[in-house]
Every structure is written in structure tokens, then in C-alpha cells.
Amino acid sequence: MATVQVSEAEKVYILHGVRDDLRVDGRGCEDYRHMEIETEMVSNTDGSAKVTLGHTDVLVGVKAEMGKPRPMVPDEGYLEFFVDCSANATPEFEGRGGDELGMELSNTLYKVFNNRYSVDLKSLCISPGEHCWVLYVDVLLLQCDGNLFDAISVAIKAALFNTKIPKVHISEDEEGGKEIELSDDPYDCMRLNVENVPCIVTLCKVGHRHVVDATLQEKACSVASLIISVTHKGTVTCVRKVGGGSLDPESIFEMTETGKRVGKALHAPLMELLQEEESLGKKRQKVGFLG
Amino acid sequence: MPTDTKRVRGPEVSQSPSLFLCKTAVKKSNDARVDGRQRGQVDVRSVFVRCGLISQAKGSAYIEAGNTKLICCVYGPRETERKDETDMKSGRLITDMRFAPFSCRERGSWIQGSDEKDLSLMLLESLRPGVCLQKYPRSQIEVNVMVLENDGAVLAHAVTCASMALADAGIEMYDLVLGCSIRQEGATYLIDPTFLEENGCNLTSGSRENLGSLTVAFLPSLNQISGLQSDGEMGEDTLTGGVRTCIEGCFKLYPVIQQALSKAVRRKAPPSES
């Protein structure tokens, strides 16, 4: 992750502030920075979304392609994640530098979605054992200012909400061969149910307290963070401790509770916002990348 | 990419026979597990550990838990190849975890996949808090774990094995790091799951909630968790309960590992002059 050098005096300042529930930019320990979400940014994708969280910028594109289902689960489609840390984000990512971070992010995303209820994979099946929809979720990091996991998970949820998969119809011809037909109406598509898609909350341990949505400076003062992914019902799909320090079991339990609370509270306004944006339809003002 | 031109793998459309095995749902009477251990109780597999197997390495360890077999060697402290400013103050720990191609049911490849890289990263995060890296500035310590046979709970045993190898190498540590793994199924849990228990559970009686696995790396005398990783879907209390269970499992392992280490030290020590 892009790192920032923080002096000892600054560290002490941040630690004392967090102890009193007051962070450098005036937020409380459980407050997020200003978040902006826009969907349908890229017309070549089946679904896309861009999320700006403080100065972190993430763009997600979802493309649906037809593929062969996995042999062990012939009646389900699947998702493939790929995170690209472009050199635009920070010069550390030049060449192969961003590969490690990109892989860590993709692997975590696979774990987060590795359960049966986040995305209804059965709805992605076209004909069992032969054809299914494969959703390629590609994440592009445009700017990096801390808290990548949260921004990426919100962007993925928004992009999946925005994804329109064309409806296909399998017809059998005389010799028994199957033919796949796309419907003539370009607006005849299937939407995904993203109610159960989890959101990731990253909690950084700073001093004796933990903060949500840490900036790079706060991250430099913390030794360990906990990444927790929570669905709207409050179930936890993935927990991971990152960072080179160790945590007390009691802190982990506290952080899990906070993470669950914050994560749960994130879903309702997000869905409302997405539905509102959708309902605006053609009247929506497109802001794009320069807004 | 090196390809294997000497073996005939069969035509492209061939599939592994294991896909066609009829899934005789392992009918478990609700209490016993296949290997005789109990569900819902802290019943870890008994481990066999031995240090100092590999003469070339500074420190090494071998662990066997049920059918899971791992070997770990430690090289270092050596001079760092990459010179960074951070190296001036503390050392660097480099971990590498690999699976032998014959270790799992399906033959794996020698090229490190993204799973292995992910496990190596988690191993690094679990071991870092235990090692006194500030005593080794400008150096790097390499930890290489090789999984010889994968029968479940690989990451947990890798953490234990690696910390034993580090201790055997004489690297200064705050405490041993022990790992424990648990598989949550509905209301009960299976501690230290075997490979089949970890993976074969999509067929269980459709319990909607609480199907997942959890791995914890723990420093027993300091009471600190250095690694935590979970998967699947669990409620928050189940998660908390699972972490406590794993901590208990680690405490059960601790005396065994300590004994093995003291035996290894005594073996290495020069014979006392009488």
C-alpha cells in the first residue's frame, strides 16, 4: 500500500486524538469520509461503478461472458475478480510493484464471496453442465489514499447492482444441437439481486482504540488492522487480520462488534442511493471522471 | 512457462475421475467424526514434531498431525538483497509456502499459484509479531514451508512448524506462535478439520447459517493473536466462540511443542564432560 512517513511527534498527536475520539480531520472513530458513488460510467461494460472515498478512487467494471461451469458445480455460474493497481495511483505501483497488492486484494475478494448466499450463482446458469454466465469483475485503482478494501467492496456492490445480463434462450434444433439465442430487445436483461452482497469494513488499531476508514497517516500509526466483511443482515463472511503486529483477543472481539455494527449500517443507505440513481433514468446528470 | 513434455496427460477434454465418484454422503452419526474424534469439543489431532532434520538449514522442523505432513526450514539471518531504508532499523522476514504436487488429491503444479502466495502472506503476518526483528537490522530471515501431504488445517500447522524451525535456528522470538484451525458447521464445530471435512461440506443438511472455516495464530504466553483468517458465512457470536475455541486448541498444543523443542536443544548440546 502507498506508505507515508510519519514523524514521532505526529504519531503521538494522532494517538492522543484517537484516544479522545477525535481524528485529525475532525471525524469520530466510526465515521467514514465523504463517499461519492456513480454507476454506469463505462459504456462497454455490462455494469460499472466508480467510488470516491476521500481521495481514494476506485473504478469497477463487470463484464458477463459465457463460459463452461466448474465441474464440481455444474448448475452455477461464477465470478472472477481481478484487481489492477495502476501506476497512476502512486509511483510505487510502477511496473510489477502493484502486482503484490493487487493479488492480495483479489484473494481477499475471492474469500469474501466464497459462500453460497452473497450472489445467487444459480441464476447465472444457462444450461447445466454446458453454459453459464461468468462475471468478470475488474477493479482499477485510480488513486490510493488508504482504505482500499472498503472502497472496492462498495464499488463492487454498486457495479453488480448496475449489471445488466442479456437474457438468452436455448433452443434445440432438429439434430439435437443446442443454439443460444439472444433476445432482440437490447433492454431485455436480467438484473442481479445484490441484497446479500457484503461490504468490507477495515478497522485499524491505533493506540488502544480502533478507527474505521483510516487515512494513510493513521495507518502508519497502527500496527495491525482487521478486515471484516459484513452482509446487510449482520452475518460475517470473511475476517482477516493484516499488518505486522499482534492483537489481543479482547480487541479482536471489540473490533468485530464495531465492524459488524458499522457494516450493517452501511448497506441500507447504499441500496437507497443506488435505487434512487436508477430511478432517475435518463434525467440523471452524468458527472463522470472530472467531477 | 515450463511445460511437461514427457508425460502424456490425455486429450484436452479429459476430466479427473474423482469428479465421477458418487458422493456417498459421509453419513456421520451426529457425534463421531470419521477419525473417531468428537464434534463440538476441543479435540485436536495428536502431533508428532521433530526439529533439526535438515543439516544444511540453520533451523528446521517437521510436523505431522494426522495425515497432514509439513516440513519447514529457516535460513538466516543473511544480508538483505534489496536495500531499503526500513532495513536499517529492523530485519525482514520472508516466508514462502509451497505445496508438493503430490500433496493434494489432484496433482498440483510446481509453479506457485495465487493460493500459495496468499498462504505465504498470511504465514508472514502470523509470524512477524513473534520474531524480534529489531535485533537483526539489515538482515533477512527466510522461512520456507513445504507441504508434503495436505489433510486439512495446513495453514495452522505451517505456523506452528515455522515457529519451531525459527526457535531451532536460534532466532530470537518473543514467544512461540501456534496455529489452530476450526470448521464451523451449523451449531457445532470441528476443530483441526481433515481435508474432507474442510471441503466436502456442501452436502450437509442445509443449515443456512454458520458454515465456514477459521484459522487463528496465537502467542500463548503473551495472549496475543497474531493471525486471523476466516471464510464462509458466520454470525458474530459464532465467530467469537470459534476464536476462543481455537485459542483453547493452541493451549493444548503448547506443552507438546515445548517438550519437542527442549529435546532438540538437548540433542544439539555438546556432551557434558564428566
Side-chain angles (χ1 to χ4, degrees):
Chain A
M1 187 97 60
T3 43
V4 144
Q5 304 275 34
V6 177
S7 70
E8 285 301 316
E10 262 188 280
K11 270 194 197 162
V12 170
Y13 180 65
I14 293 178
L15 264 123
H16 283 179
V18 169
R19 198 181 51 191
D20 298 328
D21 198 19
L22 192 62
R23 291 155 75 172
V24 173
D25 45 10
R27 289 183 282 157
C29 285
E30 296 182 11
D31 294 334
Y32 270 95
R33 285 173 284 184
H34 177 71
M35 200 187 304
E36 286 177 12
I37 306 172
E38 191 179 347
T39 56
E40 208 143 338
M41 308 276 310
V42 182
S43 47
N44 276 335
T45 56
D46 294 307
S48 60
K50 175 169 166 291
V51 167
T52 308
L53 178 62
H55 283 297
T56 301
D57 241 328
V58 168
L59 175 65
V60 171
V62 177
K63 285 197 84 87
E65 288 187 13
M66 281 214 267
K68 224 167 147 31
R70 296 217 169 106
M72 298 298 281
V73 273
D75 56 349
E76 286 179 3
Y78 55 96
L79 278 82
E80 290 271 0
F81 294 98
F82 179 68
V83 179
D84 183 33
C85 304
S86 80
N88 287 328
T90 137
E92 279 176 17
F93 293 161
E94 196 184 21
R96 311 220 66 156
D99 280 358
E100 238 180 72
L101 178 63
M103 230 173 24
E104 190 191 332
L105 291 165
S106 323
N107 282 329
T108 313
L109 287 173
Y110 275 115
K111 287 215 169 67
V112 166
F113 282 85
N114 182 23
N115 60 71
R116 293 178 290 166
Y117 310 113
S118 297
V119 176
D120 186 12
L121 296 172
K122 293 209 169 21
S123 64
L124 295 176
C125 175
I126 303 172
S127 77
E130 288 169 7
H131 299 108
C132 71
W133 286 113
V134 181
L135 294 181
Y136 289 98
V137 179
D138 297 304
V139 180
L140 188 60
L141 286 188
L142 299 170
Q143 263 195 81
C144 184
D145 188 31
N147 208 17
L148 293 171
F149 281 104
D150 300 29
I152 290 177
S153 70
V154 170
I156 290 183
K157 185 160 180 159
L160 286 174
F161 176 82
N162 181 239
T163 305
K164 300 179 172 64
I165 303 177
K167 284 211 179 110
V168 289
H169 173 65
I170 309 262
S171 58
E172 296 233 359
D173 61 13
E174 307 86 45
E175 288 117 33
K178 294 212 167 101
E179 227 181 63
I180 301 180
E181 280 169 13
L182 207 57
S183 72
D184 285 333
D185 180 8
Y187 293 106
D188 182 20
C189 357
M190 177 175 90
R191 302 291 291 267
L192 286 174
N193 180 7
V194 296
E195 280 287 311
N196 290 320
V197 170
C199 272
I200 301 179
V201 179
T202 308
L203 296 124
C204 282
K205 186 126 193 351
V206 178
H208 289 292
R209 296 190 62 156
H210 45 269
V211 294
V212 170
D213 192 16
T215 59
L216 286 176
Q217 283 84 3
E218 284 162 344
K219 195 120 204 291
C221 302
S222 89
V223 287
S225 332
L226 198 70
I227 290 174
I228 175 168
S229 96
V230 189
T231 59
H232 72 114
K233 289 200 201 111
T235 38
V236 172
T237 65
C238 173
V239 178
R240 221 177 124 150
K241 173 237 156 210
V242 286
S246 62
L247 292 167
D248 206 74
E250 290 307 316
S251 314
I252 292 200
F253 299 147
E254 272 172 29
M255 285 160 92
T256 321
E257 210 199 292
T258 311
K260 177 184 153 188
R261 203 176 353 122
V262 172
K264 220 168 148 177
L266 192 55
H267 281 93
L270 176 61
M271 288 307 291
E272 245 181 69
L273 188 69
L274 289 172
Q275 265 145 10
E276 205 190 301
E277 196 194 16
E278 171 100 9
S279 64
L280 286 176
K282 295 236 177 337
K283 292 181 264 155
R284 184 174 77 137
Q285 263 194 335
K286 294 208 178 204
V287 175
F289 289 90
L290 298 175
Chain B
M1 210 152 77
T3 46
D4 195 351
T5 47
K6 297 188 184 73
R7 286 196 182 92
V8 176
R9 305 288 296 271
E12 291 274 322
V13 295
S14 51
Q15 292 172 319
S16 157
S18 54
L19 290 172
F20 296 95
L21 284 176
C22 25
K23 310 217 165 90
T24 53
V26 184
K27 250 343 155 192
K28 21 180 184 41
S29 55
N30 270 338
D31 260 347
R33 292 157 74 169
V34 182
D35 52 5
R37 290 184 284 159
Q38 298 291 329
R39 304 177 152 248
Q41 280 182 34
V42 185
D43 211 346
V44 289
R45 286 180 283 196
S46 30
V47 291
F48 168 79
V49 281
R50 182 65 64 88
C51 291
L53 297 165
I54 298 175
S55 51
Q56 298 292 331
K58 187 95 190 292
S60 57
Y62 172 73
I63 193 170
E64 220 180 270
N67 278 330
T68 301
K69 302 173 175 75
L70 292 114
I71 195 167
C72 174
C73 19
V74 169
Y75 294 92
R78 292 214 275 219
E79 198 184 330
T80 15
E81 292 148 6
R82 292 196 325 227
K83 309 273 186 225
D84 245 333
E85 306 147 11
T86 43
D87 291 345
M88 293 297 130
K89 297 198 213 99
S90 81
R92 187 201 292 257
L93 188 66
I94 296 184
T95 54
D96 188 33
M97 182 152 163
R98 287 189 194 237
F99 283 78
F102 42 78
S103 57
C104 304
R105 297 222 145 182
E106 303 285 323
R107 182 185 180 267
S109 77
W110 274 114
I111 299 163
Q112 223 185 19
S114 61
D115 281 343
E116 289 171 336
K117 292 211 175 90
D118 198 30
L119 287 170
S120 305
L121 182 63
M122 286 194 273
L123 184 63
L124 173 65
E125 283 171 358
S126 306
L127 290 174
R128 268 264 290 277
V131 181
C132 302
L133 284 172
Q134 72 279 10
K135 299 230 169 157
Y136 301 99
R138 297 186 292 277
S139 337
Q140 72 183 23
I141 299 168
E142 285 169 19
V143 177
N144 299 315
V145 177
M146 173 66 84
V147 179
L148 300 171
E149 193 175 337
N150 177 7
D151 194 25
V154 156
L155 180 61
H157 292 301
V159 169
T160 311
C161 193
S163 56
M164 282 192 71
L166 282 166
D168 187 47
I171 308 278
E172 293 195 42
M173 294 171 74
Y174 292 111
D175 191 5
L176 278 177
V177 188
L178 299 178
C180 190
S181 198
I182 194 181
R183 170 92 186 157
Q184 185 76 33
E185 265 181 12
T188 58
Y189 55 83
L190 301 161
I191 199 166
D192 202 5
T194 61
F195 188 76
L196 280 174
E197 284 168 348
E198 261 179 2
N199 294 334
C201 297
N202 300 330
L203 325 163
T204 41
S205 48
S207 40
R208 272 196 73 96
E209 279 272 313
N210 297 337
L211 187 68
S213 17
L214 173 66
T215 305
V216 171
F218 187 61
L219 286 91
S221 28
L222 298 175
N223 195 31
Q224 294 273 305
I225 290 183
S226 63
L228 174 64
Q229 204 258 123
S230 95
D231 204 348
E233 201 175 357
M234 290 190 264
E236 188 213 332
D237 341 311
T238 328
L239 185 66
T240 319
V243 173
R244 284 192 226 265
T245 315
C246 284
I247 292 181
E248 259 184 67
C250 288
F251 274 120
K252 279 205 166 177
L253 264 184
Y254 201 33
V256 178
I257 309 286
Q258 281 179 317
Q259 232 183 23
L261 263 180
S262 41
K263 267 200 208 149
V265 169
R266 258 180 256 134
R267 241 184 293 126
K268 266 194 193 169
S272 51
E273 274 103 64
S274 44

